[in-house]
Amino acid sequence: MTTSTPSGSPRLWAVALLLAAVLADLAASVWMAQQSHAWLPLPASAAAGPVDNLFALEVGIGSFIFFGCSGVMLWTLLFNRAPKYDLDNGDPIEGNLKLEIAWTLIPLVIVMLIAWKAIAVSDTLSTLGGKVRVSGGHAGMHGAEARIAKVVATDDPAAAHPIEVIGRQWSWEFIYPNGVHSSELHLPEGRRSYLRLSATDVIHGFYVPAFRLKQDLIPGSLIDYSLIPTRAGRYRLRDSMFSGGYFSSNQTDVVVEPPDVHEAWLEQALRQPLRPAANAATDLYAQRLARGDRGWATVPPAPPPLVHVSADPTARHDA
């Protein structure tokens, strides 16, 4: 005597089809995660690897959910459509405790996984050092070095003499330990560089896409920051915070070069005379005044800094 499979139990082919669909979804999501590395700018710092891997994890999870939901909707449209003149409502699913637990726990696990990975990446980077509030405007910041030195805990003697990074409307200025002033940032390849960030007017964003790093510059604060460039080249530094009418012109280059080339550049730069840096915002504002100062009200740009080396706005950059 043979027994028949109860009509309510899942059929073997249905289970096999569901398993194949999940495996295909997983394979497509892994492929998307691998491809996501090519979507990002050229990696040029030690932070790029962990950040790119975190991005790939988020792309993989998002792809798995997207392909899964899209597949269910496509299957429903093709094989489970209602008849042409069927206006009945679908079966109610209220009170399905198992389904409610599933759609609560699964997003919770996903969010906690991403948060755990993001915290681990943040600990790995360890880019942010001390921060000291300074009163008396930007002039008072130069007297705060002793206070912020106590906040910075590191065995690297280079941290005691960081590169000063000054953001203003609308230009960047970099002051090196040997006294060189420049409007483009030069860093040695493969070595940790220490920066001291400050802003003279409003909040600016120190953002180098190729480094995968971003840090806000807060007026009245000195913020210690560090990074390790790993690839020689010329990369773009952008102001990531809206700081007024000409903030899009507040860009410059970061030049990463071998340590010996960097030392030679510092010596050669110090022999150059100080001169106003090339500044696109100043030029744009002059054009505005020549047209009668019409249009939206805007803040006049701060005078360009006096530098030994000025950034070349026509230079090609890698990323």
Side-chain angles (χ1 to χ4, degrees):
M1 180 178 180
T2 59
T3 58
S4 60
T5 303
S7 59
S9 62
R11 298 178 181 178
L12 184 60
W13 67 267
V15 174
L17 182 61
L18 178 60
L19 180 61
V22 171
L23 292 176
D25 187 2
L26 182 61
S29 303
V30 171
W31 181 81
M32 287 291 290
Q34 294 172 343
Q35 296 302 308
S36 67
H37 289 276
W39 306 343
L40 301 172
L42 190 71
S45 80
V51 171
D52 290 0
N53 290 336
L54 175 61
F55 179 70
L57 173 65
E58 295 171 346
V59 168
I61 293 175
S63 298
F64 186 83
I65 296 173
F66 174 77
F67 291 143
C69 293
S70 300
V72 171
M73 289 189 291
L74 181 61
W75 177 274
T76 302
L77 288 173
L78 293 177
F79 303 109
N80 291 98
R81 289 180 296 176
K84 184 174 182 179
Y85 298 106
D86 185 2
L87 301 179
D88 294 337
N89 294 325
D91 294 334
I93 58 173
E94 296 142 2
N96 191 325
L97 183 59
K98 293 181 180 179
L99 184 59
E100 292 175 359
I101 291 176
W103 72 39
T104 300
L105 288 182
I106 292 175
L108 176 63
V109 171
I110 292 175
V111 170
M112 294 305 294
L113 173 63
I114 296 176
W116 170 78
K117 183 65 175 177
I119 293 172
V121 169
S122 179
D123 291 341
T124 300
L125 300 185
S126 299
T127 56
L128 196 58
K131 176 181 177 182
V132 170
R133 291 287 299 171
V134 180
S135 59
H138 190 67
M141 293 183 180
H142 296 288
E145 273 74 9
R147 279 190 289 154
I148 199 171
K150 297 178 181 179
V151 180
V152 181
T154 176
D155 296 330
D156 192 339
H161 303 284
I163 301 172
E164 293 186 43
V165 178
I166 302 173
R168 58 171 63 90
Q169 295 170 304
W170 285 271
S171 63
W172 294 98
E173 182 181 3
F174 309 99
I175 306 175
Y176 300 83
N178 70 337
V180 169
H181 292 240
S182 73
S183 60
E184 65 179 16
L185 179 59
H186 284 246
L187 299 174
E189 180 186 10
R191 293 182 180 177
R192 181 173 292 276
S193 295
Y194 294 91
L195 312 175
R196 184 158 294 162
L197 311 178
S198 62
T200 62
D201 34 48
V202 298
I203 298 177
H204 297 276
F206 180 88
Y207 176 45
V208 185
F211 291 171
R212 312 292 195 268
L213 294 173
K214 174 186 176 297
Q215 174 61 41
D216 291 345
L217 284 66
I218 312 298
S221 294
L222 291 176
I223 302 173
D224 271 12
Y225 202 66
S226 67
L227 55 92
I228 305 176
T230 57
R231 186 184 186 123
R234 182 178 291 267
Y235 309 101
R236 205 64 175 157
L237 164 62
R238 308 178 189 276
D239 186 353
S240 60
M241 299 295 292
F242 178 75
S243 56
Y246 301 101
F247 94 102
S248 62
S249 66
N250 199 13
Q251 304 184 33
T252 189
D253 289 336
V254 179
V255 180
V256 179
E257 51 207 0
D260 56 338
V261 176
H262 178 69
E263 294 297 330
W265 177 85
L266 287 174
E267 296 178 3
Q268 180 183 7
L270 193 58
R271 294 193 291 267
Q272 303 297 321
L274 288 172
R275 62 185 186 277
N279 187 262
T282 302
D283 299 337
L284 291 171
Y285 189 69
Q287 295 175 20
R288 174 192 175 99
L289 295 180
R291 294 193 298 266
D293 197 14
R294 296 188 299 271
W296 294 99
T298 184
V299 177
L306 296 177
V307 297
H308 297 93
V309 177
S310 178
D312 181 4
T314 64
R316 296 175 60 88
H317 53 85
D318 299 300

